[in-house]
Amino acid sequence: MRLFKNKFFIFLLFLIFSFLIIFLNSRKLLGFSNNFLNVFVSSVSKPVWLVSGRFSSLFSFIVDLKNIRSEDFNLKDKNQRLLAENIYLKDLLKEKEILDKAREFHIKDNFDWQIGRVIGMDIQNWSGYVIVDIGSDDGIKIGMPVITQNKLLVGKVIEVEKKFSKISTLLNPSIKVATKTQDSQAFGMLTGDYTKSLLMDFIDKDKVLLLGEPVMTSGKDGFFPAGLVIGELKNFEIKPENLFQTAIIRSELNIYDLDRVLVLTKF
Amino acid sequence: MKFFFFSLLLFFLFILQISVLPFLLIFGVLPNLLLVASIFFIFYPLGRGLDYRELMAFSFASGFLIDTYSGMPFGVVMLSFILTVALVHFLAYNFLEKANFFMVCIGVLIGSIAYSIISFGILRLYIAFNLISDLGFDYSVFFKVMLIFSVLNIGAVMVMHIPFKKFVIFTDKFKR
């Protein structure tokens, strides 16, 4: 009995016993006991396995949910970046189109220009002012004409700071533009009245005006080059007591749609 | 009665090992709860718990049970268990005196490394005796697995230290 208290002997005994079992197993003599063990263990482990699987699925679902949230956040972030990039690229494309058209002016009409972006407008007072992001640093001076890429007259520069300028549009009554009708070749002076309907005055009484004919700058005032689009003749009036006839011109200009404008630095 | 409770614990841990832990794989490695329990009981006999003979029986039974469900050749786990527990028992009784949480962690660390090396050695012997074919072996993977296995086993000690201790105190009330 003392032998069974000897640790080394016990260790040796278990080791021998293990080898015996390995030997028996290799001879397929443990099949019955193994089968019995498998049946007994699996009867308990199977439900535990199923429950664990469910918990694991739940845990995986929570982890997945966390991952989905993180992925969703990343995708939204990516989407926003792509959107910003898209806007930037569209902006560049638009600027390119404007520059292409402006280059045509430079070639055809010998205009020099600076392109400016509209960064503000005085819409509260209906004064027809807009502010652009180019100023004296870009060579802008007071009085310079401002047009769109489609050669539509916008107005003229009335204030210049280093980095931005204030433009008074045609809608402002303080602007006077020498104009002419395209078909009847009638000359006159145009003034705004804060609406899209502009007044063309000092038109020769003998001229026969045509409704709907285009009106453009004549260049006779020396402030604006000739040939800039203003609008179309909407109505005209001849009073016997007056020396001249007057016409109402519908302007094509919509200051709310202005995005980029060209300030003509040389014409 | 005490034998009954330890058998119950053994069976419970075994079921946990084969049914629950596979769902908690970490880097493809599992902790071995039965090995952790065997090593824990080396440190907490102190006149109660398990004596050497019972401890060896516990580790032998643990190894046998895992062998029946393990993918390794039969006997590798059983022999590894017996040799590891004997080694850690020898070290614990000759070099480590106090039985506290820190010592258990050291014991489990040594045990985990020893278990991995012994299992590997036995496998090589099986190959040498042509009992299984040699499919090649990546040593870097072996060391990585051994490291993760050791860390996971220490983690298991952290979780099970108090329940095991309470179990030993509880079973101490009963006669062998």
Side-chain angles (χ1 to χ4, degrees), chain B residues 3-153:
Chain B
F3 171 77
F4 170 74
F5 281 119
F6 271 92
S7 303
L8 210 64
L9 176 75
L10 177 70
F11 188 67
F12 171 73
L13 290 177
F14 176 62
I15 295 293
L16 215 63
Q17 183 75 39
I18 62 164
S19 314
V20 181
L21 289 196
F23 292 104
L24 306 170
L25 273 177
I26 298 168
F27 300 113
V29 184
L30 287 178
N32 192 328
L33 295 183
L34 291 166
L35 181 71
V36 170
S38 301
I39 294 171
F40 184 89
F41 295 134
I42 294 171
F43 286 87
Y44 280 96
L46 302 173
R48 52 200 193 191
L50 301 174
D51 62 19
Y52 188 73
R53 193 180 48 185
E54 289 161 341
L55 183 74
M56 290 310 281
F58 187 87
S59 51
F60 169 79
S62 301
F64 178 78
L65 283 174
I66 293 178
D67 254 338
T68 54
Y69 273 75
S70 139
M72 283 204 270
F74 189 85
V76 174
V77 181
M78 196 163 59
L79 286 171
S80 304
F81 255 78
I82 290 169
L83 291 169
T84 304
V85 170
L87 176 75
V88 177
H89 185 276
F90 173 77
L91 293 173
Y93 276 78
N94 287 287
F95 302 105
L96 308 171
E97 288 174 0
K98 289 178 185 173
N100 56 29
F101 172 72
F102 183 65
M103 289 298 160
V104 176
C105 284
I106 291 179
V108 168
L109 178 69
I110 295 168
S112 303
I113 294 169
Y115 175 80
S116 305
I117 295 169
I118 291 167
S119 310
F120 176 67
I122 294 170
L123 266 178
R124 298 308 298 179
L125 276 176
Y126 270 71
I127 294 164
F129 285 104
N130 285 325
L131 293 170
I132 54 168
S133 53
D134 190 2
L135 297 171
F137 198 79
D138 187 344
Y139 283 89
S140 65
V141 173
F142 170 72
F143 286 113
K144 203 173 99 180
V145 169
M146 187 170 78
L147 184 77
I148 300 168
F149 179 65
S150 307
V151 172
L152 290 179
N153 282 345

